Amino acid sequence: MEYYPLLCIPEQRKYTTIIPMKIINLSESNSILNQYVAEIRNVEVQGDRLRFRRNIERIGEVMAYKISKSFAYSIKEIRTPLGTASASTPDNPIVISTILRAGIPYHQGFLSYFDYAENAFVSAYRKYKDTLKFDIHIEYIASPLISGKTLIITDPMLATGSSMELTYQAMLTKGEPAEIHVAAIIASRQAVDHIAGVFPADKTTIWCAAIDPEINEHSYIVPGLGDAGDLAYGVKD
């Protein structure tokens, strides 16, 4: 009888595919959006609050149009007075969540395009311990259920990303969204990296009209534009 050595087949290695989060910087391509961002940054234009708010709103409209291209679409038959027409329209149930207060005109820009969307509002603010240190507090949330829906969280300025993270955690008390879009006008690179680390990468897209390189010791974006809430509605006490 002949004996043969035992042939061992190595256990097949399992590899985990890491899906990178989609980060879209709209300033990298030319569009009228860059004009609106330039104007809200411009100190010579910022004194006009009406124009500032309208530019914030217009940026929200452009951003909504860009995001709409990522939705699921299907053909519907539309009855007209003379017959029927086919139209490919979005199927996504949408919830627009906005961080108060600077986010109000930005939210309106999104709502002008997604007029069928449900809406959520979250109050997130900085509570300062001293001139440089602060905590983020959330005191209020009004939101529909978000399970299985497309959640768009809007905030004009993403400085550290902490307010956005806490807002997302607050929204999760209303369910688990099918997909998430984080929409900012100006974000710091630090905030983008932070969001990319705490949001689910497989279903989150970060949209920015511009990404600035840093924040200063007061956690304001540099070059940024200043305090968006104060510029839109007046200096708070």
Side-chain angles (χ1 to χ4, degrees):
M1 181 179 293
E2 295 180 320
Y3 292 90
Y4 297 91
L6 180 64
L7 298 178
C8 297
I9 301 175
E11 181 180 356
Q12 186 176 5
R13 294 182 181 180
K14 296 180 180 179
Y15 295 94
T16 300
T17 301
I18 299 176
I19 302 174
M21 184 175 293
K22 294 179 182 177
I23 301 171
I24 299 174
N25 182 358
L26 295 172
S27 68
E28 293 176 345
S29 60
N30 292 328
S31 77
I32 192 61
L33 179 69
N34 294 340
Q35 176 65 36
Y36 304 147
V37 175
E39 289 190 5
I40 64 173
R41 288 189 192 265
N42 192 330
V43 293
E44 297 179 359
V45 179
Q46 288 182 345
D48 186 340
R49 289 179 190 160
L50 175 61
R51 187 173 176 183
F52 184 86
R53 290 194 301 270
R54 179 58 185 131
N55 278 332
I56 293 285
E57 185 177 346
R58 289 195 288 190
I59 293 169
E61 293 169 352
V62 176
M63 193 80 75
Y65 171 74
K66 294 288 189 180
I67 292 175
S68 73
K69 293 184 176 183
S70 69
F71 291 168
Y73 285 74
S74 64
I75 301 293
K76 286 89 171 177
E77 296 298 322
I78 310 300
R79 188 167 63 89
T80 79
L82 301 177
T84 59
S86 298
S88 180
T89 60
D91 299 322
N92 298 50
I94 299 171
V95 176
I96 307 170
S97 177
T98 293
I99 301 175
L100 303 174
R101 66 178 168 149
I104 295 174
Y106 194 37
H107 181 100
Q108 185 56 51
F110 277 85
L111 194 57
S112 294
Y113 273 44
F114 302 142
D115 54 338
Y116 53 87
E118 296 178 281
N119 298 269
F121 298 93
V122 179
S123 69
Y125 67 95
R126 296 179 177 184
K127 187 173 183 179
Y128 282 87
K129 299 176 181 179
D130 55 42
T131 56
L132 296 179
K133 297 180 180 180
F134 60 86
D135 293 325
I136 303 296
H137 286 252
I138 290 180
E139 290 186 342
Y140 173 85
I141 176 173
S143 172
L145 296 177
I146 64 173
S147 293
K149 300 175 183 177
T150 295
L151 176 63
I152 303 174
I153 308 180
T154 69
D155 192 6
M157 309 295 288
L158 279 183
T160 66
S162 298
S163 296
M164 182 63 70
E165 179 185 3
L166 285 182
T167 296
Y168 172 59
Q169 293 300 325
M171 292 301 300
L172 288 180
T173 64
K174 305 299 181 180
E176 188 70 38
E179 61 179 347
I180 306 159
H181 297 275
V182 174
I185 297 177
I186 300 175
S188 72
R189 172 51 60 183
Q190 175 181 326
V192 171
D193 292 342
H194 180 75
I195 295 301
V198 297
F199 275 61
D202 60 331
K203 62 179 181 180
T204 302
T205 303
I206 302 175
W207 302 79
C208 302
I211 298 177
D212 285 357
E214 59 183 347
I215 57 176
N216 63 16
E217 67 274 14
H218 296 280
S219 294
Y220 279 97
I221 303 171
V222 179
L225 56 75
D227 190 303
D230 288 354
L231 290 167
Y233 296 110
V235 179
K236 53 187 175 292
D237 185 3

